[in-house]
Structures are given as structure tokens and as C-alpha cells.
């Protein structure tokens, strides 16, 4: 469990399946992520009951739910550290966008990943080209613009569409990236 000024980041649990299902019905979330379409309640249950615990057990991906403290059943979205890829991934429910929650969660995750318990000094970020919300969150969390090119992860069709790429190195922590270096946000 990680804490930020406004959030608690904790492992998604079986009780989160209905909220995950609800968030993953949104067209924009389906467009910008690789969640199955259509997204079913069985997909949500498999995510929280099978995928998340399996990834944690294997040490390959650390998936955390974003929650506001003191709000029972609250799940705003998820953020993850994909260890094998050295990358972060995330999504946020539509009603919770525009409040800075994802940037705050990413900063909390980055602090933990770059902490003394992990031997990590570099993280990557990518999104499909055009996903301004993801780019804003990555930039606000300290990621630096790398460029445009094919996504490392395939989309639902198996293709590698153009994506936007960023990186964050330990030595970048506490520095501010100039907006001009993020041409997609200029």
C-alpha cells in the first residue's frame, strides 16, 4: 500500500470487479487501452481475481488501485509498474479525470519504484499517439519526452501503432521538463 497526499494505492481486490467493469465500458478508455472489447463482468473478475494476484506473485507487474481514503468501495482507476518492460501503465475512470489524480498516483508509484528496495533507475512510458490525457499525466509526473514511434505493446489486432514515448530516470526526479520538449502538448 502506498499513500500520496490525496490517494491510497492498494492492490485491487475481488470487490472491485463491478467498478472495474463499469469504468471499462467507457468508449474512450476502450479506445486508448488494450482492454477487451466488449468488456464483460467476467473480464473484470479475471483481472482482479486472477491477473493482478498472479502478476504480483510472479513479480512481473505491480498493479495498484487508486482510492480516496475514507471512501468505501472507491476505485478511481489503476496504475502499474511492468517490471519486465521497465514501464508504467494506467487508466482512470472518466468521472475522475481532470483532477490530477493520475499524475499524483504516478509520482507515488515512481517514488516507490526508485526507492531503496528496488534496483531501478529508469522507467518508460508510452501511449497511443493522440492520447493527450495520458501524456499530460506522464509529463506532470516528471517523464521526459522521447518521441513518436511504434508502440512496444501490440494493440488488439496485433499491430504496433504509432505511439508517444517518454522516460524518467532517477536523476530526473525533482526537475521540471520544459513544455517545449513535449511537442504534442504545445
Amino acid at each position: 500500500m502506498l499513500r500520496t497526499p490525496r490517494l491510497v494505492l492498494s492492490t485491487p481486490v475481488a470487490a472491485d470487479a463491478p467498478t472495474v467493469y463499469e469504468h471499462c465500458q467507457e468508449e474512450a478508455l476502450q479506445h486508448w487501452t488494450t482492454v477487451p472489447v466488449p468488456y464483460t463482468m467476467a473480464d473484470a473478475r479475471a483481472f482482479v481475481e486472477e491477473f493482478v494476484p498472479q502478476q504480483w506473485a510472479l513479480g512481473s507487474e505491480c498493479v495498484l488501485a487508486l482510492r480516496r481514503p475514507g471512501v468505501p468501495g472507491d476505485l478511481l482507476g489503476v496504475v502499474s509498474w511492468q517490471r519486465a518492460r521497465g514501464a508504467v501503465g494506467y487508466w482512470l475512470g472518466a468521472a475522475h479525470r481532470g483532477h490530477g489524480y493520475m499524475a499524483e498516483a504516478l509520482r507515488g508509484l515512481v517514488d516507490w519504484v526508485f526507492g531503496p528496495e528496488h534496483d531501478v533507475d529508469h522507467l518508460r512510458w508510452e501511449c497511443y499517439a493522440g492520447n493527450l490525457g495520458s501524456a499530460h499525466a506522464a509529463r506532470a509526473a516528471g517523464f521526459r519526452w522521447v518521441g513518436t514511434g511504434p508502440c512496444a505493446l501490440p494493440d488488439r489486432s496485433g499491430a504496433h501503432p504509432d505511439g508517444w514515448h517518454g522516460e524518467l530516470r532517477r536523476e530526473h526526479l525533482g526537475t521540471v521538463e520544459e513544455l517545449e520538449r513535449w511537442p504534442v502538448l504545445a
Side-chain angles (χ1 to χ4, degrees):
M1 182 182 306
L2 305 175
R3 293 188 182 275
T4 70
R6 297 180 298 161
L7 301 170
V8 173
L9 307 179
S10 62
T11 307
V13 295
D16 292 323
T19 306
V20 169
Y21 169 79
E22 180 183 318
H23 288 321
C24 290
Q25 298 307 301
E26 185 206 0
E27 188 177 324
L29 193 146
Q30 291 178 358
H31 177 74
W32 296 119
T33 70
T34 58
V35 298
V37 175
Y39 194 86
T40 67
M41 182 56 98
D43 293 321
R45 282 194 298 272
F47 176 70
V48 297
E49 296 173 12
E50 297 169 23
F51 178 81
V52 170
Q54 179 184 51
Q55 296 303 302
W56 273 97
L58 293 171
S60 56
E61 185 169 357
C62 304
V63 182
L64 296 166
L66 284 65
R67 305 175 194 282
R68 291 170 291 199
V71 183
D74 195 41
L75 184 138
L76 310 178
V78 298
V79 62
S80 73
W81 170 34
Q82 302 152 9
R83 287 180 189 230
R85 294 183 53 236
V88 296
Y90 46 89
W91 58 258
L92 195 64
H96 310 294
R97 295 183 195 138
H99 304 285
Y101 291 131
M102 187 51 71
E104 182 176 323
L106 275 172
R107 284 189 297 269
L109 180 70
V110 163
D111 288 346
W112 177 66
V113 171
F114 285 158
E117 61 269 25
H118 304 113
D119 186 24
V120 175
D121 65 355
H122 179 257
L123 283 171
R124 293 181 306 112
W125 158 85
E126 74 176 17
C127 72
Y128 295 144
N131 188 343
L132 291 171
S134 183
H136 279 287
R139 181 183 178 276
F143 282 80
R144 295 181 179 220
W145 178 256
V146 173
T148 301
C151 286
L153 290 179
D155 64 13
R156 284 183 210 92
S157 72
H160 294 266
D162 277 346
W164 293 339
H165 303 269
E167 68 175 10
L168 180 57
R169 296 186 177 277
R170 185 182 299 272
E171 63 264 21
H172 295 162
L173 295 178
T175 63
V176 177
E177 178 70 356
E178 295 297 323
L179 183 59
E180 293 78 30
R181 304 229 16 228
W182 280 81
V184 298
L185 300 179

